Amino acid sequence: MYQPPDINLWTGRLDSEEGNAGIRWHQHIQLLDMHNMDMPKEGAVIIGFCSDEGVSRNKGRIGAKKGPQHIRRSLAGLAWHKNDLALFDAGDILCQDQNLEVAQSALTERLTRLLDSALFPIVLGGGHEIALASGNAVYLCANKRKAVTGIINFDAHFDLRRPSPLGSSGTPFYQLNQTCLTKNQDFHYLCMGVAETANTQALFQRADKLGVKWVMDSDIHWANLSANLATIDAFMALCDVIYLTIDLDVLPAATMPGVSAPAARGVQLDILEQLITRVIANHRQGIAQIMLADIAECNPLFDIDNRSGKVAARLINQLLAVAVT
């Protein structure tokens, strides 16, 4: 089910004495009801995916369906610095009656509309089952251009499990691979931040068989930053368009407590930001276009002092650089 945007989520401090130089997200954002309005001509669009059905099927701790509202409240009070960028909230897709597949299809349909209008969607999760919907939308739009699609996933997990029999938050990239096979397309997938202890031997073997490229969490640190950036560069050089997805459990549990599966080690936030900056820089240089980005696994039921919401909001604020011309 589609739920139009709620203006009540966008409230915060007012610094009226500062004029336009003192505005915040909640003063800049516009509401976009996709039931009733034509698509804008340009800008970035926030849309939520309120689901933790995939996490439940994957035997994780539920609560991520409340993530989009939690993140919006953290975004609302952020200082706004991109005056020329139009920003919209397009509401949420709700997963009802445990019917994840219907919700995923509904999200894909709306994301395809946004992409066809040359807008930049940022999707708020929700569990990482969001990736099947986001990925399908990117593939559909890229295929119209005959463009080569690549997936960059910052994640402690490969999420390459086989559906058993239904999909879950642990299966989306395997499902996307199967879609590529049916269409005789190459599957380009880079996963950065993989935790050895969170992925079985079977998953490593499957990743190798499917030609997945990955970087272990233990190999992402300041002394190795140049090599990490080179990995991103080499991967993006193979692609025309990029689907960028960030599973918040790639971060350490102390930084990101509010997730389904907190990380014992993880990738430090300052390094993750450097890696994302490189993906965006390559996009801006025309190496490969980031068509869509999403943030997965924000679970406010386990957040502490709004740490998870604030970090997710910071990353989303960083992602807006994709849409700035």
Side-chain angles (χ1 to χ4, degrees):
M1 183 180 101
Y2 174 67
Q3 180 171 278
D6 181 2
I7 191 61
N8 294 314
L9 295 171
W10 296 102
T11 60
R13 173 175 171 155
L14 297 173
D15 294 321
S16 303
E17 70 280 5
E18 304 289 358
N20 289 337
I23 67 170
R24 299 176 184 273
W25 271 59
H26 69 91
Q27 295 168 276
H28 184 79
I29 199 159
Q30 304 173 63
L31 303 188
L32 174 63
D33 186 341
M34 295 187 70
H35 275 327
N36 304 317
M37 294 177 63
D38 294 332
M39 292 298 99
K41 298 188 183 303
E42 61 182 10
V45 180
I46 302 290
I47 185 168
F49 186 62
C50 300
S51 168
D52 53 18
E53 174 61 21
V55 175
S56 177
R57 293 180 187 181
N58 201 36
K59 304 178 178 66
R61 55 184 192 176
I62 60 172
K65 67 181 179 182
K66 297 182 181 295
Q69 288 81 2
H70 189 60
I71 296 172
R72 282 186 179 95
R73 291 188 180 98
S74 296
L75 286 167
L78 296 186
W80 181 258
H81 290 276
K82 300 171 178 65
N83 293 339
D84 294 332
L85 177 64
L87 178 67
F88 303 89
D89 180 1
D92 297 308
I93 299 297
L94 310 183
C95 179
Q96 295 183 311
D97 302 322
Q98 301 178 310
N99 202 332
L100 175 59
E101 290 70 24
V102 168
Q104 287 170 318
S105 295
L107 179 58
T108 295
E109 185 273 329
R110 281 163 177 79
L111 291 175
T112 303
R113 285 178 60 196
L114 295 172
L115 291 172
D116 283 344
S117 300
L119 296 162
F120 176 57
I122 301 177
V123 196
L124 313 181
H128 216 173
E129 62 265 30
I130 196 175
L132 181 60
S134 294
N136 278 334
V138 172
Y139 277 111
L140 284 169
C141 293
N143 290 347
K144 295 174 186 175
R145 309 184 195 174
K146 302 189 184 314
V148 176
T149 298
I151 301 167
I152 298 179
N153 180 26
F154 293 105
D155 198 339
H157 308 89
F158 284 118
D159 289 341
L160 286 169
R161 297 180 186 275
R162 293 191 180 100
S164 59
L166 298 175
S168 72
S169 62
T171 66
F173 301 107
Y174 179 81
Q175 292 173 281
L176 290 171
N177 169 266
Q178 296 302 293
T179 299
C180 287
L181 286 176
T182 62
K183 296 183 177 180
N184 197 29
Q185 291 180 295
D186 291 334
F187 180 62
H188 297 285
Y189 175 32
L190 170 63
C191 189
M192 301 193 72
V194 175
E196 182 181 52
T197 53
N199 297 270
T200 62
Q201 292 181 48
L203 290 170
F204 277 98
Q205 291 166 5
R206 186 167 304 130
D208 189 51
K209 181 179 179 180
L210 298 180
V212 175
K213 298 175 176 61
W214 70 85
V215 181
M216 304 298 293
D217 58 359
S218 55
D219 290 325
I220 300 179
H221 49 79
W222 283 110
N224 210 28
L225 181 61
S226 294
N228 300 151
L229 297 176
T231 296
I232 290 171
D233 293 345
F235 180 80
M236 292 185 72
L238 300 172
C239 307
D240 300 314
V241 302
I242 295 293
Y243 159 39
L244 175 60
T245 179
I246 304 168
D247 188 322
L248 294 170
D249 69 21
V250 75
L251 291 157
T255 303
M256 185 55 59
V259 290
S260 172
R265 182 191 190 280
V267 176
Q268 297 297 321
L269 177 60
D270 51 355
I271 299 178
L272 177 61
E273 288 180 330
Q274 289 294 313
L275 301 177
I276 294 170
T277 294
R278 187 56 156 254
V279 178
I280 295 171
N282 286 340
H283 159 88
R284 294 180 68 83
Q285 292 170 20
I287 295 172
Q289 178 193 3
I290 303 170
M291 291 188 70
L292 180 154
D294 62 35
I295 298 278
E297 300 285 353
C298 183
N299 187 334
L301 297 185
F302 298 95
D303 204 354
I304 300 171
D305 295 332
N306 198 27
R307 290 180 206 167
S308 304
K310 288 179 178 178
V311 171
R314 181 181 173 90
L315 293 174
I316 291 163
N317 189 68
Q318 181 183 10
L319 290 171
L320 286 184
V322 173
V324 175
T325 56

